[in-house]
């Protein structure tokens, strides 16, 4: 039986592999995997049906109906074996060298006067490939730089341009909420975030208050949106005039977390009342 295995590498990069052995792999096992030109080391992040479902979800070549009817996809590469302590030691040594590699790449970028920012460098476990991640405002002709780096490191060079959000996902960090970036910890995919989501949630439209460490709109604006939309349906809309126990009052603001409503009378008096109590007053006034 061939299992589908999800394996993660540096910078939250993930790929799917087949595991033909009957001996099961466990989460967080270090494994040596087959890649396009050589071998790499990563950690198992999903196995069994979970990995198969995630692998099918990452396939964009067919419709949802076709994906549901089709057999589970087979990864093109496989897990070769479990990693030994010596294999892990080689990987750790390569990771320690990568920051120095990144600085040397930056020096070559400056010498070529290229408009790009080098974000990260990643060695393949067998050192047959060095991947350099960078951001840039436009397309960059880096052919001369690739030849220069190949002669410097004596290996195959791949330069990969990424966006600001992908850079934050690779480098990780702490968000304005005081917790690890969602994109680096648990968020499965980066989906577009628009300003209309902030408007629906009645948030400040000040970019400094609704932007993450990457400088783009916060990812949580997207995955929290449905909660705000559904919860606000239980509350009266701001600006609406209600007939309560006090009389005619206008809704100034609602607090979806404390479940309170701020009201103001025509005389200018304001009060904060719970949603449950307000509903009771409105129904009583109507009666």
């Amino acid at each position: 039986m061939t299992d589908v295995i999800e394996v993660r590498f540096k910078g939250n990069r993930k790929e799917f592999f087949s595991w033909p052995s009957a001996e099961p792999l466990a989460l967080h096992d270090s494994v040596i995997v087959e890649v396009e030109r050589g071998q790499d080391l990563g950690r198992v992040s999903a196995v069994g049906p979970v990995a198969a479902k995630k692998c099918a979800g990452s396939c964009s070549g067919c419709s949802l109906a076709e994906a549901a009817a089709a057999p589970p996809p087979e990864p093109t590469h496989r897990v070769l074996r479990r990693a030994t302590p010596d294999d892990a030691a080689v990987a750790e040594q390569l990771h320690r060298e990568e920051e120095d590699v990144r600085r040397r790449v930056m020096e070559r970028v400056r010498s070529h006067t290229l408009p790009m920012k080098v974000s990260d460098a990643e060695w393949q476990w067998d050192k047959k490939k060095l991947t350099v991640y960078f951001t840039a405002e436009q397309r960059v002709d880096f052919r001369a730089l690739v030849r220069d780096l190949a002669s410097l490191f004596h290996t195959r060079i791949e330069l990969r341009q990424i966006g600001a959000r992908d850079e934050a996902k690779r480098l990780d960090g702490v968000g304005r909420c005081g917790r690890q970036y969602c994109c680096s910890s648990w968020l499965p995919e980066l989906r577009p975030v628009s300003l209309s989501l902030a408007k629906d949630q009645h948030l400040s439209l000040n970019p400094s208050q609704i932007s993450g460490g990457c400088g783009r709109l916060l990812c949580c604006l997207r995955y929290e949106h449905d909660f705000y939309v559904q919860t606000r349906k239980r509350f009266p809309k701001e600006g609406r005039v209600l007939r309560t126990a006090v009389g005619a009052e206008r809704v100034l603001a609602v607090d979806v977390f404390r479940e309170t409503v701020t009201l103001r009378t025509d005389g200018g008096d304001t009060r904060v009342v719970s949603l449950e109590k307000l509903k009771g007053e409105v129904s009583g006034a109507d009666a």
Side-chain angles (χ1 to χ4, degrees):
M1 177 180 178
T2 300
D3 289 334
V4 176
I5 306 295
E6 181 190 70
V7 179
R8 288 187 181 267
F9 304 90
K10 180 185 177 184
N12 294 292
R13 178 172 60 88
K14 67 179 181 181
E15 294 182 28
F16 296 93
F17 301 87
S18 61
W19 173 241
S21 174
E23 183 181 358
L25 291 171
L27 292 178
H28 311 302
D29 279 352
S30 295
V31 291
I32 300 296
V33 299
E34 177 185 59
V35 291
E36 184 179 355
R37 296 186 182 182
Q39 300 176 1
D40 207 352
L41 183 144
R43 288 186 179 275
V44 175
S45 54
V47 298
V50 174
K53 184 176 180 180
K54 294 172 75 173
C55 181
S58 66
C59 175
S60 58
C62 54
S63 66
L64 293 176
E66 291 171 336
E74 284 290 334
T76 55
H77 298 295
R78 57 197 173 99
V79 176
L80 298 177
R81 58 180 173 83
R82 282 187 169 86
T84 66
D86 289 341
D87 297 332
V90 171
E92 286 296 326
Q93 180 60 34
L94 289 176
H95 290 331
R96 286 193 291 269
E97 296 175 0
E98 284 169 346
E99 181 56 31
D100 180 62
V101 170
R102 188 179 73 90
R103 285 194 292 266
R104 295 170 70 183
V105 173
M106 290 171 60
E107 292 173 358
R108 296 305 173 101
V109 168
R110 284 193 292 268
S111 67
H112 286 269
T113 62
L114 293 175
M116 54 191 288
K117 172 192 170 188
V118 180
S119 302
D120 198 13
E122 181 181 355
W123 276 113
Q124 189 168 289
W125 176 76
D126 56 10
K127 293 197 75 171
K128 291 185 177 180
K129 185 175 77 168
L130 174 65
T131 304
V132 177
Y133 296 87
F134 72 94
T135 60
E137 296 296 328
Q138 56 192 8
R139 292 179 62 89
V140 179
D141 184 358
F142 47 68
R143 289 173 293 182
L145 175 63
V146 169
R147 291 192 293 268
D148 191 3
L149 295 177
S151 63
L152 177 63
F153 296 107
H154 305 288
T155 190
R156 178 172 173 247
I157 303 295
E158 178 180 346
L159 265 70
R160 187 174 299 180
Q161 184 171 355
I162 58 177
R165 298 177 75 199
D166 292 301
E167 181 184 44
K169 182 176 181 177
R170 281 197 63 84
L171 302 183
D172 205 354
V174 177
R176 60 189 306 111
C177 58
R179 305 188 64 176
Q180 184 184 9
Y181 289 162
C182 295
C183 60
S184 300
S185 54
W186 67 270
L187 197 62
E189 61 177 323
L190 299 178
R191 300 174 63 189
V193 183
S194 65
L195 198 59
S196 63
L197 301 179
K199 293 179 180 178
D200 289 344
Q201 297 172 35
H202 295 205
L203 298 175
S204 167
L205 300 184
N206 185 340
S208 65
Q209 296 184 18
I210 57 174
S211 298
C214 60
R216 302 296 189 266
L217 293 175
L218 291 163
C219 293
C220 55
L221 296 178
R222 178 92 191 189
Y223 64 75
E224 291 179 352
H225 183 252
D226 289 342
F227 164 79
Y228 279 94
V229 171
Q230 294 301 320
T231 303
R232 282 189 178 276
K233 291 179 179 179
R234 299 169 48 229
F235 289 80
K237 292 184 178 181
E238 287 90 338
R240 181 180 176 184
V241 177
L242 303 175
R243 181 67 58 180
T244 68
V246 176
E249 292 183 290
R250 186 178 299 275
V251 178
L252 291 183
V254 300
D255 189 326
V256 297
F257 296 104
R258 295 184 176 90
E259 294 209 343
T260 59
V261 181
T262 303
L263 302 167
R264 184 174 63 189
T265 64
D266 292 338
D269 296 329
T270 61
R271 66 177 179 135
V272 178
V273 61
S274 70
L275 177 63
E276 183 178 359
K277 181 179 178 181
L278 177 62
K279 288 182 176 179
E281 289 187 11
V282 171
S283 61
D286 292 341

